[in-house]
Amino acid sequence: MRASLIQIDVNEGETVESRRVRTASLVREQAGAADLVVLPELWTTGAFAYEEFAGEAEPLEGPTYEAMAKAASDAGVWLHAGSIPERDPEGPLYNTSLVFSPSGDLAAAYRKIHRFGFDKGEAVLMGAGEDLVTVRLPETTLGVATCYDLRFPELFRGLVDAGAETLVIPAGWPERRRAHWTLLAQARAVENQAFVLACGTAGTHAGVPQAGHSIVVDPWGEVLAQADAGEQVLTVEFDPAKVAATREQFPALKDRMLGLAAPRR
């Protein structure tokens, strides 16, 4: 199976519409080169461009949905279209990921559960998702998470329990914590004995330099490929059957001790 992670440079001098057109073209270029294409988090606005979220938010089936559905269909690929600021007419904004089938149909939507910012930014501007999301592909089952989710291992345990074998994580990760990005991607792969496909952005979002360095990690924690800091298409071939083989060869997941009580004091 081949995957292409498109590490988009969110150029602050570029309009959302022009970036949408350019990104759709990059997806179409993967026709015949990849089975699965992955885009970063909030690439339409930039993950740190908080002041733009409300003005650029769109309904689920808005212009980005339409452009990405057509790009997936034109390229004949599974497309994790990163995430958008979604405007729910009956609720708050959400950081919502979209996954399309090769026919351009929506296969899944995931509202980010863990919002970054503590008491500002995304944490106060957007609502929290409530549902874990997996997507069944012909060769593997994707577990969908977004950026800051990467720091919460219990979410990924839930995805594994739901059948996930390949964990896909779009992000807008800052350069100043790039070491954590690589470390956590490898940790999530090792502890869940799963592939990790983590796609970040390049450039600068609202003055915040981005880490780039999109990464693909195998179930043993070995880095199969990693991008540099700039805009890049990272394409890697991997064997989804390695997940089952790893879990059989080293069956650590079977030794999980669930339902442990807190210590008495």
Side-chain angles (χ1 to χ4, degrees), residues 17 37 77-78 80 103 123 151 167 171 183 202 221 224 246:
E17 177 56 27
V37 175
V77 298
W78 287 91
H80 186 312
S103 61
R151 292 186 178 273
L167 305 170
L183 174 66
L224 300 183
T246 301

Side-chain angles (χ1 to χ4, degrees), residues 137-177:
L137 273 59
E139 295 181 66
T140 188
T141 296
L142 306 183
V144 182
T146 305
C147 199
Y148 191 45
D149 283 335
L150 188 60
R151 292 186 178 273
F152 300 89
E154 59 274 17
L155 182 150
F156 293 90
R157 287 300 207 208
L159 290 171
V160 168
D161 287 344
E165 300 161 323
T166 300
L167 305 170
V168 183
I169 308 156
W173 202 275
E175 165 59 29
R176 62 180 173 268
R177 289 187 290 276

Side-chain angles (χ1 to χ4, degrees), residues 4-7 36-40 79-80 82 168-170 197 199:
S4 289
L5 283 58
I6 304 181
Q7 183 171 284
L36 169 66
V37 175
V38 184
L39 303 181
L79 172 63
H80 186 312
V168 183
I169 308 156
L197 279 58
C199 181

